[in-house]
Amino acid sequence: SNTVALYEVDNKNLPIRIDHSNKSYIEIPTPKKCWVNFLHNFAPVDQQLLLKYQPGEIEYFDTNRNYFRKKCEYAWQGSSSLNYFKKNWKIKFYNEDGSKCYIKIGEWIPRSQFHFKGDGMDVTRIKNSGTAKLIQKLYRIRGYSYMPWTQKPYDMNNPSIRDRFDTGALGVIDSVPCIIQSFDTPLGRYHLNLNKFPENFNAYEDDPVNRVFAGSMPFNENYNKNSVEELVIDKEGADLPDDIFRVLGNLMDWLISVKSDVSAYKEGFDTRFDLDNCLDYYCLVWMGDYFDNVSANFMMPTYDGVKFYYMWYDMDRGYGFGSGALADTYRPPTVNNTFTGHGANYMWQNFELAFADEIKARYAELRRSGFISVTNVETTFRDLFNRCTPADVEQDLLYWWYRCNTNVPGKYSSIQQFMCWLKDRLIFLDDKFSYIE
C-alpha cells in the first residue's frame, strides 16, 4: 500500500521488524511517530455512517519498525470538530475472534480504544499535545506528592498493574504523532492519543469511590449537570445520574456558600482541594493564558468523594490564540482576564485572595527552576513537532490553510511566533507576581 511506501521512505527502507497481527495483546515501545492506514476508501456516502461506529480494518506502522493489521470499528470523534473537513477519529481494536485487542504503548495503560486527534485548532503549533508533555514533566518533578491517581498499595503477589504502586495512569492525555491515510488518499497529520479514559485516572467501573468528572460548567449558582459527564468505560455520552452528580454538586454548593467569606473558604479548602495541585494548575494557566481551561475543559477526579483535583484537557487555546468560530481572535501577552473571561468563578476568585503569598512563591519556584520559561516550553513543543517532516506539515495545511494566515495575529504559523508571545507574557507575569530573578 502507499502507507508502506511512505513508511519505507521515511525510515530509509528499513524492513518491518515485528509483525504483531496475530497477537491478542500487543505491547510495543513508544515510537517517535506512527502511520495508520484505513483499508477502506471513504466516499461521500460515508458521511452520515461515520457518526456511528463502522466495521473495518487498519494497518499500523511505527518508527520502531512494529507492524500490525487488525479488525476494528471506527467513527468520527468530537462535536465542534465535526464542522471541519478534517475529522477526529475514535477506533476500537479487535482480535479475529471478536474479543477486544488491548494495546500497550510504552508506559501507557493498555487500551483497546484510542482517539486520533486532527488538532484542528492547533495546526503547526502542537499546543494541545505539547502542553500535555509539559504537564507530564511537572508531575515527574513533583513525584507522588499529590497524585493519588498513580498510587495503589503494592502487592508483590499480584502481578496486575492495578495492584502495583504505580497504576500506569498518567492523569493527562499523551500523544504520538501519526500520519493517517485511506489507501492512497492522505487524511493528514494526527496525534494518536491516550485520551480522557477513566483508567488513565485510575477510575474503574468496579470502584465505588474513584470518579472522574469532565465538562464545562460555571463555578457559581448557574452550575448544572447538563454539561458535565462522568468518565465511564465504553459509555460515551451517558447521562449523569443525580446521585453521582451530587458528589460534584456538594462541592459546588460549598463554593457558593463561602463565595463572600475568604476565611471560611481557606478553612475548608484542604478538605476539598489539594493546594500543591491547585497552585501548579493556577500558575500554568496564567503562563499560557489557558483561559479555556478555567470553567471549561476541566477534569476533576475524586478518590474519596470529597477532595477534588484539577486536571488538564483540551489545551488548544492560549499563547495568543483566542476564541471564535475559526479561533482567530487574538489575545495579547498582557491579557489579564485569564480567570474571569467565563464569568464569576468562586473557586479561583477566592483562591487568589486566600493564597496570594503561596501563589507568588510557587510562581517564583517554577520560574527559578526553569520550568516556566521560553526555553522549556519551546524545547518540549519542538521535540514533538519535529517528529513530523515538513512534507507532513505541508500536506496538513491543505486542510487548514485558513488557520495559518500570518496577517491575522491569532493565526500563528510557527512555534517561534508564539514563543515571542510567551517571552512578552513572562515579562507581564513577572511584574504581576512580583518575581525578580
Side-chain angles (χ1 to χ4, degrees):
S1 71
N2 284 352
T3 304
V4 175
L6 178 63
Y7 171 84
E8 290 176 344
V9 168
D10 230 28
N11 288 273
K12 300 188 171 112
N13 296 309
L14 292 173
I16 292 170
R17 187 180 68 180
I18 303 177
D19 186 346
H20 302 272
S21 301
N22 293 326
K23 296 179 180 178
S24 59
Y25 173 84
I26 298 173
E27 188 165 355
I28 56 179
T30 304
K32 290 288 187 181
K33 176 182 173 184
C34 64
W35 293 259
V36 166
N37 183 28
F38 285 96
L39 299 178
H40 180 91
N41 277 321
F42 296 104
V45 71
D46 294 322
Q47 301 295 304
Q48 291 303 313
L49 290 176
L50 287 169
L51 295 175
K52 297 181 179 180
Y53 279 107
Q54 301 299 315
E57 281 188 286
I58 69 167
E59 293 177 304
Y60 168 96
F61 310 79
D62 68 31
T63 48
N64 295 324
R65 293 182 283 151
N66 292 292
Y67 168 86
F68 59 82
R69 178 171 175 167
K70 282 290 181 182
K71 290 184 176 180
C72 67
E73 290 182 318
Y74 46 73
W76 289 336
Q77 185 274 332
S79 52
S80 60
S81 61
L82 294 178
N83 296 320
Y84 305 122
F85 180 74
K86 182 180 173 186
K87 316 295 186 185
N88 296 331
W89 296 88
K90 50 188 177 183
I91 301 178
K92 298 179 180 179
F93 292 95
Y94 295 97
N95 296 308
E96 286 295 321
D97 62 3
S99 61
K100 294 179 180 179
C101 178
Y102 282 87
I103 302 169
K104 179 171 174 57
I105 299 176
E107 295 301 313
W108 293 3
I109 54 174
R111 288 291 305 159
S112 63
Q113 177 181 344
F114 295 90
H115 287 178
F116 291 78
K117 291 286 191 176
D119 293 320
M121 311 295 287
D122 203 13
V123 63
T124 76
R125 305 168 191 83
I126 221 154
K127 290 194 305 298
N128 189 27
S129 298
T131 300
K133 294 292 187 185
L134 276 177
I135 294 164
Q136 290 172 46
K137 276 188 177 182
L138 185 58
Y139 288 166
R140 287 193 291 271
I141 291 171
R142 296 288 177 229
Y144 291 96
S145 60
Y146 66 69
M147 297 188 292
W149 55 92
T150 68
Q151 299 174 50
K152 280 265 189 179
Y154 181 73
D155 180 358
M156 66 181 297
N157 297 314
N158 192 334
S160 169
I161 193 170
R162 290 186 59 190
D163 292 296
R164 298 175 189 170
F165 179 70
D166 185 340
T167 65
L170 292 179
V172 68
I173 69 166
D174 198 12
S175 304
V176 172
C178 178
I179 306 300
I180 297 182
Q181 68 181 57
S182 167
F183 284 126
D184 59 351
T185 303
L187 300 181
R189 186 192 64 176
Y190 283 75
H191 281 104
L192 189 167
N193 270 17
L194 175 68
N195 219 304
K196 60 175 185 178
F197 301 110
E199 304 99 314
N200 199 29
F201 297 85
N202 193 26
Y204 293 81
E205 285 183 291
D206 58 354
D207 192 325
V209 178
N210 293 5
R211 301 195 181 280
V212 185
F213 296 95
S216 299
M217 184 174 69
F219 281 64
N220 55 43
E221 289 87 351
N222 296 319
Y223 83 87
N224 62 79
K225 73 173 187 176
N226 295 332
S227 59
V228 181
E229 64 176 337
E230 181 195 14
L231 301 190
V232 180
I233 300 170
D234 291 333
K235 293 182 181 178
E236 299 177 57
D239 291 336
L240 189 61
D242 289 338
D243 59 329
I244 294 178
F245 178 70
R246 245 318 83 206
V247 175
L248 183 59
N250 291 336
L251 174 69
M252 303 303 293
D253 290 343
W254 175 77
L255 286 171
I256 294 169
S257 72
V258 298
K259 67 179 182 180
S260 301
D261 190 338
V262 178
S263 296
Y265 170 91
K266 190 170 185 177
E267 181 179 350
F269 183 89
D270 285 342
T271 302
R272 296 167 176 86
F273 296 102
D274 184 281
L275 182 57
D276 278 324
N277 166 248
C278 290
L279 286 170
D280 283 341
Y281 193 93
Y282 180 88
C283 290
L284 262 64
V285 168
W286 271 112
M287 179 195 78
D289 184 35
Y290 293 106
F291 67 95
D292 210 30
N293 297 95
V294 177
S295 296
N297 294 321
F298 66 82
M299 306 285 292
M300 296 190 73
T302 179
Y303 300 93
D304 60 6
V306 178
K307 177 172 283 193
F308 290 79
Y309 296 81
Y310 267 89
M311 310 291 282
W312 293 83
Y313 180 68
D314 202 9
M315 299 79 71
D316 54 7
R317 310 282 188 175
Y319 302 95
F321 204 58
S323 57
L326 299 180
D328 56 4
T329 305
Y330 179 62
R331 289 173 64 87
T334 55
V335 65
N336 203 29
N337 70 340
T338 299
F339 276 88
T340 57
H342 285 286
N345 186 307
Y346 300 148
M347 163 59 193
W348 294 113
Q349 70 183 36
N350 274 336
F351 185 79
E352 293 173 332
L353 297 172
F355 300 106
D357 291 340
E358 290 86 347
I359 288 170
K360 289 181 178 180
R362 180 57 54 89
Y363 179 80
E365 174 203 326
L366 293 172
R367 285 289 277 137
R368 291 194 181 100
S369 69
F371 185 83
I372 291 183
S373 68
V374 173
T375 299
N376 185 40
V377 176
E378 183 170 11
T379 300
T380 304
F381 283 26
R382 285 195 183 281
D383 173 66
L384 195 60
F385 183 79
N386 290 341
R387 298 180 194 181
C388 290
T389 66
D392 295 333
V393 178
E394 289 177 10
Q395 179 66 53
D396 214 41
L397 293 182
L398 296 177
Y399 299 103
W400 302 112
W401 60 268
Y402 56 83
R403 295 185 186 279
C404 300
N405 181 353
T406 56
N407 294 321
V408 179
K411 293 183 178 178
Y412 294 133
S413 61
S414 71
I415 290 177
Q416 186 59 45
Q417 283 177 291
F418 72 77
M419 287 303 105
C420 291
W421 180 96
L422 179 59
K423 181 180 178 180
D424 291 338
R425 178 67 167 175
L426 295 185
I427 293 172
F428 167 73
L429 293 179
D430 287 351
D431 180 67
K432 178 180 178 65
F433 295 118
S434 305
Y435 170 71
I436 302 175
E437 290 191 56

